[in-house]
Amino acid sequence: MAFRHRSEYDESVPRALREARASYDAAAAEYEQAMEKARKAWAEALAVAIEAGMSYQEIADEVGVSHTSISRAIKQHASAR
């Protein structure tokens, strides 16, 4: 088996990798937190719309989502209470 020549590198290379990974992980965590907050707000708004008397079809027409998505969000909202 032939070995190709590898360049030498100093500690800055693995350090940069670790820093980039930490930055990526932090950004991913922030994104997940923001999405969870948005999902809760979305489910709350759907529940309020249903309680106000809007039908699934009216909601679907208004915001362009499926009946299944509406139902799922409302169920998640109810289980979070």
Side-chain angles (χ1 to χ4, degrees):
M1 177 194 279
F3 293 97
R4 68 179 181 89
H5 178 68
R6 262 180 34 162
S7 304
E8 293 295 322
Y9 58 87
D10 62 15
E11 176 54 31
S12 67
V13 175
R15 182 176 51 248
L17 280 173
R18 290 188 301 270
E19 290 170 358
R21 180 55 195 243
S23 177
Y24 175 87
D25 289 345
E30 287 177 22
Y31 170 79
E32 289 300 324
Q33 289 174 346
M35 287 304 299
E36 183 60 26
K37 183 178 177 182
R39 282 185 196 102
K40 287 179 181 178
W42 171 239
E44 174 73 25
L46 288 170
V48 167
I50 292 293
E51 290 169 4
M54 286 185 84
S55 70
Y56 276 35
Q57 189 59 52
E58 290 171 319
I59 294 169
D61 292 343
E62 187 69 31
V63 293
V65 297
S66 70
H67 291 220
T68 304
S69 295
I70 296 166
S71 179
R72 184 182 321 115
I74 290 171
K75 287 176 185 174
Q76 289 172 348
H77 174 69
S79 69
R81 284 184 171 179

